[in-house]
Amino acid sequence: MVPCARVGSGRLRNLLGIDIYTAKVDDSPRILVVEDDARLSTMLEDLLKSEGYLVTTARDGQRALHDGLTQKFDVILLDRGLPVLDGLDVLTKLRQSGVTSPVLILSALGNPADRVEGLDLGAEDYLSKPFDIDELLARLRGLRRRLSSSIPVLIVPGGAYDVAGRSVTRDDGEEVALSEREGDLLERLARRPEQVFTRDDLLQTVFADADDPGVVDTYVHYLRKKLGRALISTVRGIGYRLGRPT
Ligand code: CA
């Protein structure tokens, strides 16, 4: 066994300098806490850590958007009134980019019209400030339960991709396991089967810690090798899309 050093979440690098993508190292739920009030942010961070969450905090909308686009979260706790970019704008942009993590809006604006606005923009839940800690924790548990019972199976050319199990059951019945990165890339493409993705888009959303678009080509190659060339087509001069061009 070649000794490895951990170089990032779910990633190991062996002595030859080759990255090995591993199964999720830690199964704790990951939460993004977006709150500009420093005291409340710290309080939420401490509380959620003590409840077993892996917490990432963002203090303004732009940071929140960046984190939401480049990392995977099991749930996002989102304040509405934020510096730089408003919470609802963050939510809109995340949903437009295909981010499906459940969002709970936490806001001082709590009248029915405010709630409807947040829910219409794609939030799963809405809690007004001041809030009860036990209620917040219960709602977060509820969101995660709903998520785990609705983890999708995505239809891909030649089979079906089980996102949670990170495996493709091919039409001939064979099961093909994917690495974390292969799975993330396939999920991105398969959630919007009609869309052509640029390499830059895929680089930013799937390979946030890399900066060479060549890594996208490499992982497309890996996926085609495992699941056949027809899985992903190259759109010349633009990028990639799921399946054969129509
Ligand atoms: Ca605020």
Coordinates of all heavy atoms in Angstrom, one line a residue, residues 35-37 79 81-82 129, ligand 1:
E35 N -24.9 34.1 7.1 CA -25.5 35.1 8.1 C -24.4 36.2 8.3 O -23.3 35.9 8.6 CB -25.8 34.4 9.4 CG -26.1 35.2 10.6 CD -27.4 36.1 10.3 OE1 -28.5 35.5 10.1 OE2 -27.3 37.3 10.3
D36 N -24.9 37.5 8.1 CA -23.9 38.5 8.2 C -23.7 39.0 9.7 O -22.7 39.7 10.0 CB -24.2 39.7 7.3 CG -25.6 40.3 7.6 OD1 -26.5 39.5 7.9 OD2 -25.7 41.5 7.6
D37 N -24.7 38.8 10.5 CA -24.6 39.2 11.9 C -23.6 38.2 12.6 O -23.8 37.0 12.7 CB -26.0 39.0 12.6 CG -25.9 39.5 14.0 OD1 -25.2 38.8 14.8 OD2 -26.6 40.4 14.4
D79 N -29.7 33.6 5.4 CA -30.3 34.9 5.8 C -30.7 35.7 4.6 O -30.2 35.4 3.5 CB -29.2 35.7 6.6 CG -29.7 37.0 7.1 OD1 -30.9 37.1 7.3 OD2 -28.8 37.9 7.3
G81 N -31.3 39.4 4.4 CA -30.7 40.7 4.3 C -29.2 40.5 4.4 O -28.7 40.3 5.5
L82 N -28.4 40.6 3.3 CA -27.0 40.3 3.3 C -26.3 41.4 2.6 O -26.8 42.0 1.6 CB -26.7 39.0 2.6 CG -27.1 37.7 3.3 CD1 -27.0 36.5 2.3 CD2 -26.3 37.4 4.5
K129 N -37.0 35.2 12.2 CA -36.3 35.6 13.4 C -37.2 36.5 14.2 O -38.0 37.3 13.7 CB -35.1 36.4 13.0 CG -34.0 35.7 12.2 CD -32.9 36.6 11.8 CE -31.9 36.0 10.9 NZ -30.9 37.0 10.4
Ligands
CA1 CA -28.8 40.0 7.9

